Amino acid sequence: MPTDGDTPRRRRSLDKGRMEAFSDGVFGFAATLLVANLALRPPGTALQQLFHAWPSYVAYYIISFLTIGAAWLAHTALTDRLAQADPIFLRLNLLLLLVVVFLPFPTRLLADTLHQTSSQRVFVTLYGLTLLAIRLMGAALAAYARREHLYSPHEDGGDLHSDQRKLLPVVIGYVIAILIGLALPELAVALYFGIAVYAIVPFREVARLLFRRS
Amino acid sequence: MPTDGDTPRRRRSLDKGRMEAFSDGVFGFAATLLVANLALRPPGTALQQLFHAWPSYVAYYIISFLTIGAAWLAHTALTDRLAQADPIFLRLNLLLLLVVVFLPFPTRLLADTLHQTSSQRVFVTLYGLTLLAIRLMGAALAAYARREHLYSPHEDGGDLHSDQRKLLPVVIGYVIAILIGLALPELAVALYFGIAVYAIVPFREVARLLFRRS
Amino acid sequence: MPTDGDTPRRRRSLDKGRMEAFSDGVFGFAATLLVANLALRPPGTALQQLFHAWPSYVAYYIISFLTIGAAWLAHTALTDRLAQADPIFLRLNLLLLLVVVFLPFPTRLLADTLHQTSSQRVFVTLYGLTLLAIRLMGAALAAYARREHLYSPHEDGGDLHSDQRKLLPVVIGYVIAILIGLALPELAVALYFGIAVYAIVPFREVARLLFRRS
Amino acid sequence: MPTDGDTPRRRRSLDKGRMEAFSDGVFGFAATLLVANLALRPPGTALQQLFHAWPSYVAYYIISFLTIGAAWLAHTALTDRLAQADPIFLRLNLLLLLVVVFLPFPTRLLADTLHQTSSQRVFVTLYGLTLLAIRLMGAALAAYARREHLYSPHEDGGDLHSDQRKLLPVVIGYVIAILIGLALPELAVALYFGIAVYAIVPFREVARLLFRRS
């Protein structure tokens, strides 16, 4: 029920519903595009091809899916607490989506050059930089919303803070993994995998579940 | 109308609206990707190519579409009765989507190796395992929601139970079909087709419709 | 505000919101997939290739897009008046989507075999049958909803009737065009184009607009 | 709470919710398809290929993404103020989506013929015409809504006017860039990039942010 006093404010702030719908679509597409690029390479029997391509599924497909999943979860937590979006927030959100949508490209490059260590060094670096950029853009979005007081007034920001609690370890982890990847690309991929799992697992809830059970 | 007593709980539980929107996008995209991979193989006239590729449309495209459709229907029935989602539920949901999104890959492998029985044995097995994994992840999601009391209080779970009633026959059917596929891949595909039809047809409603008419 | 009397009915009927969201996703994907398949053929300069491929854009891409658009419009008009969806309606809806999602495949086949009249005869027929199947499945969905009294009670069905008014001419048009396509594929494509334009243009509203202006 | 007087009007006007959902899906999908087409060309090391392909990412991918993003933002602002959609508005909206969905095709053509100036002249022109068509279709949609009084009565149109304020400079910019592209394709791409940035940056809000900070 918009009152006269409410209307001018509503006009300046923008509807967040469509931003969420558009973002959900883009996150979902980017996640699905990952598998559109999966392919087997000719030499060998079907079974040999599958085992040969195995790392590409496990490592790249799953890391990328988990990273997009974690970015989507963080985005959900952020916009859920948002009272309003302003024009700059909407553009920053588009920049986040620009990086998310880019992820299938380095993922495919890596999967295509499996077992070619010279190219892999370059592509693993590009891949790590993209993963890092997704995380940083998400953090920038949250920082802008906090700075511009876009959150609902009755949100104390406690949960949001907990959502962003893993930010520093994750960013440091990516920087270390990217540097290691310049020399040892396969170790970097293992680290990316570890970071993706660390970023998405809700340790507190899992612990609560485990302790309650015992 | 959130009361003071309601707000802290709402904060811990998470909005299910965006989970549904994201899931709908991923289910829909995975279903559409299936056809993006359809192709005809060169030798022969257009008509011969179409008839040659016929089993790939009927069997793989339709089985995969029906399986994604059935998973989406089960997901709808589940989240419709959900009072709230918790952080672990959201991650389990992402795992379900991870497997759903993977399905176009073995579907394409199978369609690409039509009439090559040596590769087909491997890919039919991979295909069956993916179909089984989708069903099991959906059941795990429902089991978690029941165990953690995430359903609305005024839902007695009767309908949900009926949604899950076909779980055991379907799982047993998949296990048998996968084992048969190691020797007779084409029989396994026929069984997958039968299971997909069995899983999606609402026999009780169809019976009601038919008896009422006569 | 669900009352005790309302709850059992709500439980048997299913939420139509997610069916709409899922359908919107699938319609949108199928429409976008059409352009993913557009490509130029090598011989000639860039300009020659563009002009050579011109019919493929106009005819196939636009016919397919308009057909999906018309199917989506009819779907919107139908579910907008729906009071509830039942399990069978949801499955019929999936069958409609199955055919819609299939459309990019014959579209691509046609565009790929441009100027090869022998293959085109076959693919034009397949294309016309798919267009007809989309229309018939949409009509079956509307007929089922009417027969099972799924519409809102205060809807007299007048508008719906007007949505379905073009059904018979369109179906007859498709049948004639498909038969003609067996001998003259290019004439059939021109007819498909005409039918798509006829099906989507709201003549009454356009007339009202034109007469009011003069 | 629809009253008797409201029902007949509601029946003639159509629900805008599903138009938004369908449009969001198509916008999001078109934005994601852009990256599905990114690829590296064989000669050289991985690093050389990446640097060689660099302009295709920066120029084409980012210009296209920003253009789709700006079109989506304008669409959001438009439908947000819409009280109702009529049948012709829904069809014009489909035409806008038809052009948006087409954009990945000229984007891919340009990226594929990178460094081949003879083809590029043709494709840069096609690309510019598509960008212009997206903008003009968006403006046509807004003009139709204004002319037919589809906006909410308490919207004075002030904000919408500001959304359309950049229309004339953008259209003139495109026409100049397209003409320049006939002789100097690479300069045209630089201009397209400038126009895309100009069209999407909210200068007033950015200025407010900067002045407040100092």
Side-chain angles (χ1 to χ4, degrees), chain A residues 203-214, chain B residues 147:
Chain A
F203 291 106
R204 208 180 291 182
E205 278 80 7
V206 170
R208 198 179 301 156
L209 207 69
L210 293 175
F211 283 116
R212 206 192 50 193
R213 193 185 294 170
S214 65
Chain B
R147 208 173 142 288

Side-chain angles (χ1 to χ4, degrees), chain A residues 15-195:
Chain A
D15 184 34
K16 66 172 194 170
R18 289 202 57 188
M19 181 191 62
E20 293 180 343
F22 181 68
S23 305
D24 284 345
V26 172
F27 277 116
F29 299 146
T32 320
L33 250 184
L34 295 168
V35 89
N37 297 322
L38 283 185
L40 295 184
R41 304 284 148 236
T45 67
L47 209 61
Q48 287 171 332
Q49 288 177 33
L50 264 183
F51 274 101
H52 193 74
W54 186 240
S56 107
Y57 313 146
V58 171
Y60 310 125
Y61 169 57
I62 294 184
I63 295 173
S64 296
F65 192 97
L66 291 183
T67 304
I68 290 177
W72 174 77
L73 283 169
H75 194 268
T76 301
L78 198 164
T79 65
D80 195 37
R81 280 149 184 91
L82 216 61
Q84 52 181 71
D86 71 9
I88 293 179
F89 186 90
L90 289 180
R91 269 81 175 178
L92 288 178
N93 188 50
L94 283 178
L95 281 185
L96 168 62
L97 297 180
L98 181 82
V99 199
V100 167
V101 157
F102 185 71
L103 186 60
F105 178 56
T107 306
R108 187 180 48 195
L109 287 181
L110 265 182
D112 282 357
T113 54
L114 212 65
H115 308 288
Q116 302 172 24
T117 31
S118 74
S119 312
Q120 236 182 355
R121 213 164 294 177
V122 177
F123 295 149
V124 159
T125 309
L126 180 69
Y127 186 59
L129 289 171
T130 310
L131 296 174
L132 178 58
I134 291 174
R135 187 72 197 191
L136 289 178
M137 271 309 305
L141 207 60
Y144 179 80
R146 198 161 37 236
R147 208 173 141 289
E148 295 295 311
H149 308 294
L150 300 178
Y151 291 123
S152 299
H154 56 273
E155 294 285 347
D156 59 8
D159 282 345
L160 253 182
H161 185 71
S162 84
D163 281 322
Q164 299 293 333
R165 217 175 30 200
K166 287 178 176 174
L167 177 63
L168 198 65
V170 163
V171 168
I172 293 175
Y174 277 134
V175 171
I176 293 174
I178 290 168
L179 292 175
I180 287 175
L182 296 173
L184 303 161
E186 279 168 23
L187 180 54
V189 171
L191 288 172
Y192 295 152
F193 185 75
I195 297 170

Side-chain angles (χ1 to χ4, degrees), chain B residues 19-88:
Chain B
M19 181 191 62
E20 293 179 344
F22 181 69
S23 304
D24 284 346
V26 172
F27 277 115
F29 205 1
T32 319
L33 251 184
L34 295 168
V35 90
N37 298 322
L38 284 185
L40 295 183
R41 305 284 148 236
T45 67
L47 209 59
Q48 287 170 332
Q49 288 177 33
L50 264 183
F51 274 101
H52 192 75
W54 186 240
S56 107
Y57 313 145
V58 172
Y60 310 126
Y61 168 58
I62 294 184
I63 295 173
S64 296
F65 192 96
L66 291 183
T67 304
I68 291 178
W72 174 78
L73 283 170
H75 194 268
T76 302
L78 198 164
T79 65
D80 195 37
R81 283 153 181 88
L82 215 61
Q84 52 181 67
D86 72 9
I88 293 178

Side-chain angles (χ1 to χ4, degrees), chain B residues 96-115:
Chain B
L96 168 63
L97 297 179
L98 180 83
V99 199
V100 167
V101 157
F102 185 71
L103 185 60
F105 178 56
T107 307
R108 186 179 49 194
L109 288 181
L110 265 182
D112 282 358
T113 54
L114 213 62
H115 307 287

Side-chain angles (χ1 to χ4, degrees), chain B residues 20 23-25 27-29 31-33 35-40 46-47 49-50 57 61-62 65-66 69-70 72-73 75-76 79-81 154-156 159 199-202 205-206 208-209 212-213, chain C residues 2 7 10-15 17-23 25-26 29-30 33 37 87-88 90-91 93-95 97-105 108-109 118-120 122-123 126 144 147-148:
Chain B
E20 293 179 344
S23 304
D24 284 346
F27 277 115
F29 205 1
T32 319
L33 251 184
V35 90
N37 298 322
L38 284 185
L40 295 183
L47 209 59
Q49 288 177 33
L50 264 183
Y57 313 145
Y61 168 58
I62 294 184
F65 192 96
L66 291 183
W72 174 78
L73 283 170
H75 194 268
T76 302
T79 65
D80 195 37
R81 283 153 181 88
H154 54 274
E155 295 285 347
D156 59 7
D159 281 347
I200 208 166
V201 171
E205 277 81 8
V206 170
R208 198 180 300 156
L209 207 70
R212 205 192 52 195
R213 191 185 293 169
Chain C
T7 315
R10 203 188 65 82
R11 208 171 277 159
R12 223 165 303 128
S13 78
L14 291 155
D15 184 35
R18 289 201 59 188
M19 180 191 62
E20 293 180 345
F22 182 69
S23 305
V26 172
F29 299 146
L33 251 185
N37 298 322
I88 292 178
L90 288 179
R91 268 79 174 179
N93 188 51
L94 283 177
L95 280 185
L97 298 179
L98 180 83
V99 198
V100 167
V101 157
F102 185 71
L103 185 59
F105 178 57
R108 187 179 50 195
L109 287 181
S118 75
S119 312
Q120 236 181 355
V122 177
F123 294 150
L126 180 69
Y144 179 80
R147 210 172 140 289
E148 294 296 309

Side-chain angles (χ1 to χ4, degrees), chain A residues 2 7 10-15 17-19 21-22 25-26 29-30 33 37 87-88 90-91 93-95 97-99 101-105 108-109 118-120 122-123 126 144 147-148, chain D residues 20 23-25 27-29 31-32 35-40 46-47 50 57 61-62 65 69-70 72-73 75-76 79-81 154-156 159 199-202 205-206 208-209 212-213:
Chain A
T7 313
R10 202 188 65 84
R11 208 172 277 161
R12 223 166 301 128
S13 78
L14 291 156
D15 184 34
R18 289 202 57 188
M19 181 191 62
F22 181 68
V26 172
F29 299 146
L33 250 184
N37 297 322
I88 293 179
L90 289 180
R91 269 81 175 178
N93 188 50
L94 283 178
L95 281 185
L97 297 180
L98 181 82
V99 199
V101 157
F102 185 71
L103 186 60
F105 178 56
R108 187 180 48 195
L109 287 181
S118 74
S119 312
Q120 236 182 355
V122 177
F123 295 149
L126 180 69
Y144 179 80
R147 208 173 141 289
E148 295 295 311
Chain D
E20 292 180 345
S23 305
D24 284 345
F27 277 117
F29 203 2
T32 320
V35 91
N37 298 322
L38 284 184
L40 295 183
L47 209 59
L50 264 184
Y57 313 144
Y61 169 56
I62 294 184
F65 192 97
W72 175 78
L73 283 169
H75 194 268
T76 301
T79 64
D80 196 35
R81 282 154 183 87
H154 55 273
E155 295 285 347
D156 59 8
D159 281 346
I200 207 166
V201 170
E205 278 80 8
V206 170
R208 198 181 299 157
L209 206 71
R212 206 191 51 194
R213 192 185 292 169

